[in-house]
Amino acid sequence: MPSKIDKLIQELTRWCDAKRGRRNELAERLSVSRQTVHAWLTRKKVPSGEQVLEIQDILRTDKSGRSTV
């Protein structure tokens, strides 16, 4: 059974893949490099607790139809 972080990363991967430029957008919003975002999506790194909360907020905001940035 996938962990909660695995489910979050899967959802984040789908979100990033749905629109060009989202990895850059995410990196800018979280003040991390694009390489860090790539490491999260390939599960080589795990976002910090604060970053996880921000990612959840970004995904929730996007689902509600409001601007993410």
Side-chain angles (χ1 to χ4, degrees):
M1 184 163 137
S3 70
K4 288 182 180 183
I5 194 73
D6 287 334
K7 289 179 182 179
L8 179 68
I9 297 300
Q10 288 172 354
E11 185 177 354
L12 184 61
T13 300
R14 286 190 296 273
W15 182 81
C16 286
D17 290 346
K19 186 176 175 186
R20 183 178 169 97
R22 282 196 169 160
R23 290 180 187 209
N24 288 333
E25 177 184 336
L26 183 64
E28 287 178 21
R29 173 106 183 241
L30 298 177
S31 300
V32 299
S33 69
R34 193 170 180 282
Q35 290 80 7
T36 296
V37 172
H38 176 76
W40 294 340
L41 298 178
T42 58
R43 293 176 174 76
K44 292 180 180 160
K45 277 184 148 179
V46 176
S48 71
E50 193 70 29
Q51 291 165 332
V52 165
L53 294 173
E54 189 67 29
I55 290 167
Q56 289 174 325
D57 195 39
I58 291 167
L59 295 173
R60 190 175 321 115
T61 300
D62 191 59
K63 284 181 183 176
S64 71
R66 294 178 290 171
S67 175
T68 58
V69 175

